[in-house]
Structures are given as C-alpha cells and as structure tokens.
Amino acid sequence: MSPRPMKQRPQPDAVENGGSQQPRNGRRHLALRLDDAWLGLQTRLAIRRGRVETVIPYTGYGSTSWVRVLARVVRSDPRDAAGHAKPLQESMRGWRNFTSAPVAHAAVSVTIAGTVFEVRADRGGVVDARIPVALDAGWHTITLQSGESRTVEAPIEIVADDADFGVVSDIDDTVMVTALPRPFLAAWNTFVLNEHARTPTPGMAVLYERIARTAPSAPVLYLSTGAWNVAPTLSRFLSRNLYPAGPKLLTDWGPTPDRWFRSGQEHKRNSLERLAEEFPGIKWLLVGDDGQHDEAIYSEFAQRHPENVKAIAIRQLSAGEAVLAGGRSKSGGQPTPGVPWIYAPDGAGMSAQLEELGIIRNDVRSADDPEEGDVQA
C-alpha cells in the first residue's frame, strides 16, 4: 500500500493508553463528578465484598508494525475471574457485566511475542492502546495481566500490508434482529437476554462467509454503539451463528468531560475515520441498516474518503422492525459518485447484488478464523 500523510485523528471514546480529556475551561461536568462518586462507591463495595481485579480481553487488530489492544479491567467475583481465562465460557452474564466496578486507570501488562508492554486503562477501566510491534500478517495471541489478576489471552488480527479490501458491519438490526423498541433495546439485551435468545438476521452469516471465501485475508470488523460491557455476549452470539471472527469496536456509555452521554453516532464516525487513517489502502464494504443513522454516517464517510469505500450495503428493515427502530432514515444516503449502494431485506438479497458487483464469488475458503476464546497460538 502506498503511504499518505497522516490526518488529525478524532478523539476516540477510550483514549489510547488511558489518557483523559479535560474541558477547555478546566471545569468538570456535573455528570462526570457524579459518575466519579458512583465509581468510588462501586469500588469500595467491591473491595469490601472480596471482588478481585479481572481483565476482560477483547479481539484486537493491527498492521505488521503496530497492534491495537482492547480490554477492560473490572473487579469481579473470583468465580467469574476464573471464567474469564476463556471468554466464551458462560461467565459474567448480562447485568453482572454492568454492575462490576471498573478499575480506573489500571496498569496493565501486555505481552506480545515475548515482549512486555505497560499500558493504562481509562477512568472506566477500558484499555485502548496502540503499541508499536512487528508481527506477521494473520492471527496472533497476546496475554494481559493487571495487578494480581489472572493472565488472560486475547486474539489479535494482523492485516497484511497489501490488503485492499475489508468489511465494516453494524450489529443491531444488521447481523442480529431484536424486535424491541429502541429505548428498551439496550436494557433488554444487557440485563435479560443471553446470546441464545438473540435472532440472527436471515442469510447474513452466509453472506459474510461468502465474502470470507472470496477474500480470505480481508478483515471483518463489527462496529456498534453498544457498550464494551456486552462484548463477551456479542462474541458468543457471532461465534454460535458462524459469523467470521473479527474485532468489535464498541463504546462506553458513561459521561464525557462536557456532556451527560456519549454520542453513538460520533463513535461510529470516529471509528471509520480512524480505520481510514490506519489502513489507507483498504476499500471497505460498509454494511448497515436503514433504521436511523447508518445511511447518513456511511454516506458522509464515502464523500470524505471515496478511495476507502468499495460499496455500501443497507439492510431494509421490515415495516414492524422500522417502527420498533424508531422509523427509517429520513435523509437516506447522499450521492457518492463511484461508490455503489445496494439495498436488500436479508443476506440472500445482498449476496446476489454483491455478486453482480464482483465483490463476492463462490470460491471455497481454505481455513476458518478463530474467535475470542478459540485463538491460535
């Protein structure tokens, strides 16, 4: 891939190596002060109840010269901590992911190819660190440890230098269907359901498998406004329903230095901008749905970076799904010269149109990729 000048990176939700943003006027937003008080209470109660420091590893990614390490450090029941050595096990379900106290600014040791790197979590316990290290393209395993926690493993997907195609996929209403009103979706998915009760979108897993057969080295990233707390459940869902392995780019629902809640739309925009900067030679297939914002976000990105978009595929929600999703996008996609758009209600319809565009074909894939909890050494 030919290098190009690096652009100013938008501030991510989880600042690399645990940094924190402060408002320009130096005053902390009321929401942040209240959240700090709540985190302090959570931590005191967790320590009193014998909760132990636990690292929850997530799938990371990178190039042959750097990796992005993603994880979260919390205080959990010792029995749950033992289960986190294999994240696909049935531990830390639903509401317990949200009630576990995060370890703010935890120091985490990351071992990559025999070399130990020290990184730091943010105030919510989220580790989002970019580490310079040389690795071959493909899947690798790294280990993480914080304080006296157990050492856990996390898969890392290293994208080849000559990669020129990849997939960025939305999750809710794109790869899974949850027939609930949007205001209740997050709470229901988090506190009630496990991955067995979620419904895969018809034909989408087959579509993604066809893409993987066509381009075995293409990275598949799942971009969602969901919180990091539900990452283990989403990983189990994707694995059980045979979706290709890939990093999940989630966010933190907590307050920021200047607002009560983080913006899910900004999280998606910033994540796409970051991918364009990190992989300037890759053209992405952007997959989402027409219920609210995906069309507008993808359209804006394609207008800014037409060289980084192969096509945009939008799943059309049924009438009932659109009502529950709060309606369809009113603006739709704006003109994006040179970037094709396709619309279909399911994976089969998308598959046929992507085949016409030459993006997928029927070649047989040679090997399966690992998912969290099923990594290759």
Side-chain angles (χ1 to χ4, degrees), residues 69-152:
V69 177
L70 300 168
R72 189 165 180 259
V73 187
V74 301
R75 293 188 180 277
S76 66
D77 187 291
R79 294 168 295 181
D80 287 330
H84 277 309
K86 290 187 180 296
L88 288 178
Q89 290 184 356
E90 307 300 310
S91 60
M92 287 286 282
R93 285 301 190 85
W95 61 271
R96 290 158 74 186
N97 276 303
F98 275 81
T99 57
S100 296
V103 181
H105 310 298
V108 179
S109 297
V110 182
T111 303
I112 306 174
T115 302
V116 179
F117 302 88
E118 299 294 330
V119 300
R120 192 167 291 276
D122 68 7
R123 60 184 300 277
V126 175
V127 174
D128 184 353
R130 175 167 162 153
I131 299 175
V133 62
L135 293 173
D136 294 332
W139 286 91
H140 297 262
T141 300
I142 66 173
T143 62
L144 303 95
Q145 184 182 31
S146 177
E148 300 299 319
S149 76
R150 288 174 174 264
T151 299
V152 297

Side-chain angles (χ1 to χ4, degrees), residues 51-75:
R51 301 298 190 253
V52 298
E53 205 162 316
T54 305
V55 179
I56 306 173
Y58 306 134
T59 299
Y61 67 90
S63 74
T64 56
S65 61
W66 57 267
V67 299
R68 184 181 182 185
V69 177
L70 300 168
R72 189 165 180 259
V73 187
V74 301
R75 293 188 180 277

